[in-house]
Amino acid sequence: MILLVLVLKYLLLFLICLFLLNVILNLSPSGKTKKAVLEVLSSGTAAVQSGKKWDLGKGVLLGRGSECTVNLPDPYVSSRHARIILQDGKYYVTDLGSTNGTLLNDQPLTFPQQLHNGSYLKIGGFVLKALIPEEKKAGRSLLLPLFPGLIIAAGGLELYWQQLLKYQDIGVLMAAALMLVISSYVVEYRGRGDPLLIQMISVLSALGLVLIYRVDPYYGIRQSYWVIAGFGLYWAIQIFLVEYKRLLNYKYTFMVLSLVFLAITILFGVEAGGARSWLSFGSFHFQPSEFVKIFMVIFLAGYLDENKEILRGGTLKFGRFYFPDWPYLGPLLAVCGLSLLLLVFQKDLGMALLFFAIFLVMVYIATDRSYFLLLGLGLFSAGTVLMYHIFPHVQNRLSIYLNPLEELDAGGYQVVQSLFAIGGGGIFGQGFGSGFPTLIPAVHTDFIFSLMAEELGLLGALAIIGIYFILVWKGIQTALQASDDFGLLMACGFSSILALQTLIIIGGVSNLIPLTGIPLPFLSYGGSSFISNCFLIGMLSKISAEGESAENLGVVADTAGD
Amino acid sequence: MRNTVKKFFIFITVCFLIYAGYLIYLVLLKGPALSKHAANPRQWIVENRVMRGGILTRDGEKIAGSIIEGDNNKRKYYYPQQYAHLTGYHSQILGKSGLEKAYDEELLGLKGYSLRNLEARWGLVKTEGDSLYLTIDHQLQMKAYELMSSYRGAAVVLNPRTGEILAMVSTPSYDPNNDSLEKSWDKLRENESRPLWNRAIQGLYPPGSTMKIVTAAIGLKKYPQLQDVTFNCQGQLTIEGRVLRDLRAHGTVDLKRALAVSCNSYFADLGMRIGSEDFTRGLEAFGWGAELPFDLPAADIPLDRESLQNANGLAESSMGQGKIQVSPLFMAMVAGSLGNGGLMMTPYLVQEIRSPEGDLVWKREPQPLRTVASSEIAWQVQEGMVQVIRPGGTGTAASLPGITVAGKTGSAENPAGNPHAWFVAFAPAEQPEAAVCVVVENGGQGGRIAAPIAKELLRLALTRED
């Protein structure tokens, strides 16, 4: 009996650790494939040593002429003898009407033929061997996409045993689980772009769903609908957005939309959890700033892509530093300043912090100029000091941060309970369903991490941090492989949203940094947050997919050239 | 641009690593303290699923136990005043203290990862915690409290050969039962005689003349022939311009006689002759300046080296005044160690932990703490201590018919008023079975106030059945 309970309690933790382990073992070494090369086996002249290698890249020309990459100085070789081209990730070799012909594996080459790994080319007195690495994504995982379903099943089993699972809810939970699993399988087998992006968020969503349902079935059911809607949006983006570059034309639309959203919230917003950042439609609450963060990234990526050269140089002089002229710097500062101001008015400090950090990161990456970073941090410090003196609740937050246990009655209750929860979890946790979520206010939204650490322990918490880290890493990798700078900047912006949101709220609930409320992506309860984050991952997938196909077509953005 | 992205990614990686490290620190290093924090409601939720184990004396008398009252467990203390400072209290509002705090996990049966613990943690069944069996002799403890209850002070009785605490009281005491404690909490805290304070282990007092047994032991180590040397006490001694007085001129005294009549001049002179270096080293050998390991949080005995650097400080310290401080528990250990051939045992209060079914979970083995003096020296000091009780000594009030008692009186001057009355003793001198230390705050002469209490405790301790 007790052993059965033991299994039920720790199955969830086991599954999450197993998933992470599986992901880590399957990671390809940072996406860098080995290069395809042509190696000289035996040489016709003394000028070329055997063993010399040429990089095939996107295709090369072979011949005696100096314009040929693969230069073969041999009288029996024609000046433009043969060509190797890359198409759909495969190399093809063609004879260019040479005098003495080309032999592929001792057969005369009469029409373009595929060059396989280990094929021999005989040209004049040369014997060349092609070394072509195996194609990427060789092994597809049958198991990985199944994990979200397993997690929901394991959680459901334990909740059923504790008599917390209502029969009428099983259908909805199963629908959500099905959505997650099917999405993961489709991406793994048919999709383009990095499948790990969607698999990671599926597992996070599944775990979030189980934890939220465990706190309150009412929210759990609502979250199931959000999961289905969010993944629906993901697929809508994959299907209907033909090319992400088209968004470039609408960048100012996104800007205006952002400011309008924020302004509306100021005018008609209602207060919840201390921040006035919600629009209310009956029982349905909508948080515009969650979408503004995405729009902002798209606008910034477009604007910075267009003006990055000008922003790098500078004519405006402040002391020893040169800054770009007002017409270029102005709009950027105005938009950023305005949106920050609006957020501060809403008392949504976590979101304000996130916006500011994303703005800084994107400007820094677009311009490569670290003084923007220094300037930003200076402004941030000044802003913090200013806010500290203006808002009493900022002072309160700081004193709670410095001495949470002594400020127990002065607003420190939430953080202290969160610390008790995390500290009480130990290495393996209390077991799923055995923590005390009712002791922490807002546990299903901002404080979901504390509950997780209490029930799944240090091990679970570290696994979740690991999953977020891999998610961010995949985002950054997407940025590096993007086919253009707009995509790169957008992917960077989205990855920073994921990274910073995770760091801000996990740091906040564990009192590593002062607490500023913000949802933990995909884990916390919240429709606006979940759907906007799905939108974000949808865009990342799109950028990843287009970057991948661009690479295959051989037009990888070396054009960025820096 | 791509290089900047990589730089940014390195920054993010470092952040995630710091977070992982911080979480490990938070859970592994801070976690246990957070779990036990008084404001943490989790422990009380878990606690309500467990019948907290009982606390019993060595002879099986139950002094604390859990009773079920409605949905809640209630802690009941059967001899509240007598054992308050040992058991401590256990309140959702005020937290825990004493053994309730020190042995919390054992009493809840939550120590370790056994299946029984998991059941309790998950609330599957209402389990029962382990019980503590103390070294305390119930009758002796009751008697000690009765004798001390009209004074402010402390009494400790221990077995010098094992370190078992046979009785330990601190007065005034309080009622740890929640109904009474929570109501009178503010009054108890404001009370000037501090009833919540465990004087026996937390109180630090100047030892007065009881210190002379330590000075004698240190002197014997430096001068093995000390017993044969005599000193002429003229009733006062002038040290660097300060005059140190005795009650009267004792005339020619040797070590035994000096102990028996508690001659200040003799020991002041001896202390100065020992010198600051050897005196400091001697004190360290007894345990001054070292940790005092005990089941309850006992005050460590401080050692003020600075004050031993001049002649006046040395003279004062060697007769137990000045900056020298001890706790009653420690002084009982000192007296006991001289009776035990110079071997000081680690004191302990909990001798066994038993499961609800009565099975032995854990048993304590006596452990030596340190050697304070050679057996030869201990024997010589003991001879002097026997003279204290004999006619003509200062501690005749502690003599027991047919049993040789070794003791030493003390009257410690202090700024709070009358001197603190001290008496330390052990018996039978040849093969001690009990050592006792009695302190009565502002009680006056140790020989008059403290010695009779010590005598009663020794008599009862030696006749106990075990």
Side-chain angles (χ1 to χ4, degrees):
Chain A
M1 174 62 183
I2 183 80
L3 286 175
L4 181 73
V5 178
L6 192 78
V7 169
L8 276 177
K9 293 274 177 195
Y10 289 102
L11 193 57
L12 210 54
L13 174 63
F14 174 74
L15 280 175
I16 286 165
C17 291
L18 194 68
F19 171 75
L20 188 65
L21 209 67
N22 218 319
V23 167
I24 290 173
L25 292 179
N26 279 341
L27 282 179
S28 61
S30 73
K32 260 185 197 165
T33 44
K34 276 203 305 197
K35 284 174 177 169
V37 291
L38 209 55
E39 188 185 0
V40 178
L41 279 189
S42 65
S43 172
T45 66
V48 177
Q49 307 252 313
S50 59
K52 184 177 166 65
K53 286 174 185 169
W54 286 282
D55 191 354
L56 287 179
K58 295 156 219 157
V60 287
L61 209 57
L62 299 88
R64 189 160 43 86
S66 56
E67 76 274 21
C68 299
T69 319
V70 181
N71 192 275
L72 307 167
D74 180 340
Y76 295 100
V77 177
S78 302
S79 62
R80 288 162 66 88
H81 194 107
R83 184 199 284 280
I84 294 174
I85 55 165
L86 177 69
Q87 203 167 10
D88 291 338
K90 292 165 185 162
Y91 287 97
Y92 295 91
V93 59
T94 328
D95 189 83
L96 297 174
S98 62
T99 323
N100 295 321
T102 306
L103 295 178
L104 176 64
N105 296 334
D106 300 325
Q107 300 291 320
L109 198 64
T110 49
F111 58 93
Q113 278 193 358
Q114 197 187 339
L115 199 58
H116 291 287
N117 191 24
S119 299
Y120 292 96
L121 273 181
K122 214 173 259 181
I123 298 177
F126 287 91
V127 178
L128 305 165
K129 185 184 182 187
L131 296 169
I132 295 163
E134 297 297 315
E135 241 188 300
K136 285 193 295 181
K137 275 209 299 191
R140 298 197 186 274
S141 175
L142 195 68
L143 191 64
L144 226 45
L146 203 59
F147 271 95
L150 291 176
I151 285 173
I152 290 180
L157 214 59
E158 161 65 19
L159 290 174
Y160 173 76
W161 181 77
Q162 285 202 9
Q163 296 171 352
L164 289 172
L165 187 68
K166 293 181 193 151
Y167 285 109
Q168 65 266 32
D169 294 346
I170 292 176
V172 182
L173 288 176
M174 271 177 71
L178 221 57
M179 185 76 184
L180 293 174
V181 171
I182 291 176
S183 294
S184 299
Y185 267 114
V186 170
V187 170
E188 180 78 30
Y189 284 92
R190 287 273 172 272
R192 292 158 62 208
D194 200 325
L196 266 185
L197 283 173
I198 196 95
Q199 285 159 6
M200 291 289 195
I201 68 160
S202 293
V203 164
L204 290 175
S205 312
L207 180 64
L209 191 57
V210 168
L211 286 173
I212 294 164
Y213 190 92
R214 176 242 180 290
V215 175
D216 189 340
Y218 169 75
Y219 289 121
I221 290 306
R222 283 173 77 108
Q223 182 77 355
S224 313
Y225 294 136
W226 299 131
V227 166
I228 294 167
F231 275 70
L233 181 65
Y234 172 89
W235 287 114
I237 290 171
Q238 305 308 305
I239 294 164
F240 296 113
L241 183 66
V242 180
E243 256 188 322
Y244 68 80
K245 285 188 195 70
R246 297 203 177 166
L247 294 178
L248 200 51
N249 302 330
Y250 301 104
K251 59 177 178 287
Y252 291 106
T253 317
F254 283 116
M255 181 194 91
V256 173
L257 216 57
S258 304
L259 294 179
V260 168
F261 265 36
L262 289 177
I264 286 178
T265 321
I266 293 276
L267 291 176
F268 306 108
V270 292
E271 193 163 320
R276 199 182 141 118
S277 54
W278 303 82
L279 290 178
S280 172
F281 306 98
S283 73
F284 172 73
H285 289 260
F286 171 66
Q287 194 180 14
S289 53
E290 282 289 344
F291 291 91
V292 174
K293 76 182 184 196
I294 312 272
F295 298 162
M296 218 51 175
V297 165
I298 299 176
F299 160 69
L300 280 173
Y303 187 84
L304 290 169
D305 180 37
E306 205 170 71
N307 300 311
K308 59 179 184 281
E309 308 297 339
I310 300 160
L311 288 170
R312 271 176 215 171
T315 50
L316 207 61
K317 196 177 174 195
F318 284 110
R320 287 173 49 215
F321 298 106
Y322 286 92
F323 284 99
D325 236 333
W326 286 116
Y328 302 103
L329 200 60
L332 211 55
L333 290 180
V335 171
C336 171
L338 203 59
S339 45
L340 277 182
L341 206 63
L342 292 175
L343 283 172
V344 168
F345 264 116
Q346 296 172 13
K347 289 205 244 166
D348 198 346
L349 293 181
M351 206 46 109
L353 180 63
L354 179 70
F355 269 52
F356 187 72
I358 290 164
F359 174 75
L360 263 191
V361 166
M362 289 186 71
V363 170
Y364 171 54
I365 286 172
T367 58
D368 295 325
R369 295 292 179 268
S370 48
Y371 56 71
F372 278 114
L373 209 58
L374 294 176
L375 186 73
L377 291 178
L379 280 175
F380 175 73
S381 317
T384 314
V385 172
L386 199 69
M387 290 214 290
Y388 180 78
H389 286 288
I390 294 176
F391 297 112
H393 70 275
V394 176
Q395 294 172 21
N396 191 17
R397 286 276 169 89
L398 197 73
S399 59
I400 290 170
Y401 166 63
L402 293 175
N403 250 326
L405 289 170
E406 267 138 56
E407 299 284 332
L408 202 61
D409 300 320
Y413 180 80
Q414 210 174 12
V415 174
V416 169
Q417 291 303 329
S418 160
L419 283 176
F420 286 158
I422 297 171
I427 296 176
F428 298 102
Q430 301 281 357
F432 177 63
S434 296
F436 304 102
T438 46
L439 296 174
I440 314 172
V443 71
H444 61 293
T445 58
D446 294 355
F447 281 79
I448 193 98
F449 183 80
S450 318
L451 173 62
M452 213 211 53
E454 182 176 20
E455 300 202 331
L456 306 186
L458 179 63
L459 222 53
L462 291 179
I464 288 298
I465 287 188
I467 290 177
Y468 277 111
F469 178 71
I470 294 176
L471 189 61
V472 172
W473 176 29
K474 288 285 151 191
I476 294 283
Q477 214 175 68
T478 301
L480 290 173
Q481 288 168 355
S483 56
D484 60 3
D485 285 352
F486 176 53
L488 181 143
L489 284 169
M490 236 179 354
C492 277
F494 291 145
S495 310
S496 351
I497 288 182
L498 289 174
L500 294 169
Q501 236 178 299
T502 308
L503 292 174
I504 287 173
I505 191 61
I506 293 185
V509 301
S510 60
N511 209 41
L512 181 56
I513 58 172
L515 174 68
T516 45
I518 206 166
L520 186 57
F522 302 106
L523 268 177
S524 287
Y525 170 76
S528 307
S529 156
F530 194 90
I531 289 180
S532 75
N533 286 328
C534 281
F535 187 91
L536 183 159
I537 292 292
M539 290 302 296
L540 268 182
S541 272
K542 199 75 199 153
I543 298 168
S544 168
E546 285 182 35
E548 215 169 63
S549 51
E551 196 171 72
N552 288 348
L553 286 170
V555 287
V556 170
D558 278 337
T559 45
D562 53 339
Chain B
M1 204 184 261
R2 273 155 221 275
N3 281 332
T4 318
V5 175
K6 281 173 193 160
K7 269 188 230 165
F8 170 66
F9 181 60
I10 291 171
F11 169 73
I12 290 289
T13 310
V14 171
C15 283
F16 270 87
L17 285 176
I18 291 174
Y19 270 58
Y22 172 74
L23 278 174
I24 294 173
Y25 156 80
L26 185 65
V27 174
L28 296 187
L29 295 175
K30 287 288 205 69
L34 284 170
S35 298
K36 281 192 185 154
H37 194 276
N40 192 345
R42 284 167 181 74
Q43 50 186 337
W44 296 106
I45 298 175
V46 173
E47 197 152 306
N48 244 338
R49 299 174 183 161
V50 181
M51 279 285 279
R52 204 176 167 82
I55 303 178
L56 297 91
T57 62
R58 67 187 305 137
D59 30 14
E61 188 73 32
K62 194 166 195 167
I63 55 178
S66 292
I67 49 174
I68 297 177
E69 218 184 55
D71 282 341
N72 292 321
N73 297 339
K74 199 181 151 195
R75 203 67 172 150
K76 169 93 180 149
Y77 300 97
Y78 297 93
Y79 306 96
Q81 310 276 348
Q82 288 86 343
Y83 286 95
H85 291 108
L86 302 183
T87 58
Y89 50 82
H90 174 265
S91 152
Q92 288 218 27
I93 299 165
L94 306 169
K96 298 167 194 170
S97 74
L99 290 170
E100 298 278 21
K101 184 177 184 182
Y103 284 83
D104 194 35
E105 287 191 335
E106 287 85 351
L107 286 166
L108 287 172
L110 288 181
K111 210 171 170 87
Y113 267 91
S114 82
L115 285 181
R116 185 158 63 95
N117 301 342
L118 288 176
E119 283 175 354
R121 191 176 308 176
W122 292 332
L124 297 180
V125 284
K126 193 144 184 161
T127 55
E128 213 173 313
D130 295 337
S131 291
L132 305 181
Y133 283 77
L134 307 186
T135 53
I136 296 290
D137 182 87
H138 181 59
Q139 270 194 312
L140 194 58
Q141 177 80 8
M142 297 299 279
K143 186 74 184 172
Y145 181 75
E146 187 196 318
L147 291 170
M148 291 296 295
S149 57
S150 49
Y151 305 109
R152 270 180 293 122
V156 177
V157 186
L158 53 76
N159 180 344
R161 283 184 286 171
T162 57
E164 293 164 283
I165 304 291
L166 299 174
M168 178 182 273
V169 295
S170 167
T171 52
S173 188
Y174 63 97
D175 182 352
N177 281 305
N178 274 339
D179 309 338
S180 141
L181 183 71
E182 284 165 10
K183 247 181 274 162
S184 55
W185 181 251
D186 289 334
K187 247 189 254 164
L188 287 171
R189 283 183 57 130
E190 282 157 19
N191 192 331
E192 271 179 28
S193 49
R194 299 171 69 189
L196 293 168
W197 186 43
N198 187 349
R199 289 171 159 77
I201 55 173
Q202 289 289 342
L204 288 175
Y205 304 89
S209 299
T210 55
M211 184 67 189
K212 287 171 186 165
I213 58 176
V214 175
T215 309
I218 299 173
L220 280 165
K221 181 157 192 227
K222 182 151 183 177
Y223 306 108
Q225 304 306 316
L226 189 64
Q227 279 205 304
D228 307 332
V229 182
T230 55
F231 175 82
N232 190 8
C233 168
Q234 305 182 329
Q236 66 180 55
L237 192 68
T238 311
I239 306 155
E240 286 175 358
R242 265 189 67 190
V243 182
L244 212 144
R245 284 180 204 287
D246 262 303
L247 288 175
R248 60 185 177 86
H250 296 114
T252 306
V253 292
D254 62 356
L255 180 64
K256 274 189 218 169
R257 182 77 193 138
L259 274 172
V261 298
S262 200
C263 175
N264 285 345
S265 305
Y266 179 93
F267 283 98
D269 177 68
L270 177 59
M272 286 188 292
R273 277 194 289 143
I274 293 168
S276 43
E277 201 174 310
D278 284 328
F279 196 72
T280 309
R281 207 172 298 145
L283 289 181
E284 282 169 342
F286 270 90
W288 267 269
E291 250 177 68
L292 179 54
F294 192 52
D295 295 340
L296 295 173
D300 294 332
I301 308 304
L303 176 56
D304 188 334
R305 290 158 209 275
E306 202 69 15
S307 69
L308 298 174
Q309 293 308 315
N310 58 63
N312 250 316
L314 266 176
E316 282 190 328
S317 299
S318 50
M319 40 186 268
Q321 296 291 156
K323 295 282 171 64
I324 283 284
Q325 284 187 316
V326 296
S327 65
L329 168 66
F330 180 70
M331 219 47 212
M333 288 159 64
V334 168
S337 66
L338 290 171
N340 195 34
L343 183 63
M344 188 184 271
M345 300 299 289
T346 307
Y348 63 93
L349 192 54
V350 179
Q351 66 177 7
E352 281 171 7
I353 296 177
R354 285 182 182 275
S355 72
E357 295 78 34
D359 300 331
L360 192 65
V361 176
W362 178 84
K363 187 176 167 55
R364 172 99 66 167
E365 294 299 330
Q367 273 186 340
L369 183 59
R370 54 176 78 93
T371 307
V372 301
S374 71
S375 54
E376 182 64 24
I377 292 173
W379 182 251
Q380 288 174 5
V381 177
Q382 187 183 319
E383 282 187 324
M385 289 172 76
V386 171
Q387 295 304 318
V388 173
I389 314 298
R390 294 264 161 82
T394 53
T396 46
S399 67
L400 284 169
I403 295 168
T404 328
V405 179
K408 182 71 194 80
T409 54
S411 315
E413 306 282 342
N414 67 87
N418 274 341
H420 296 323
W422 276 91
F423 193 77
V424 297
F426 54 85
E430 314 80 47
Q431 184 91 25
E433 281 166 25
V436 59
C437 170
V438 175
V439 185
V440 176
E441 281 184 21
N442 310 113
Q445 293 293 322
R448 272 217 326 267
I449 304 292
I453 299 174
K455 169 188 154 186
E456 281 302 306
L457 293 177
L458 278 179
R459 193 166 58 87
L460 202 58
L462 295 180
T463 54
R464 75 191 168 87
E465 302 157 15
D466 202 33

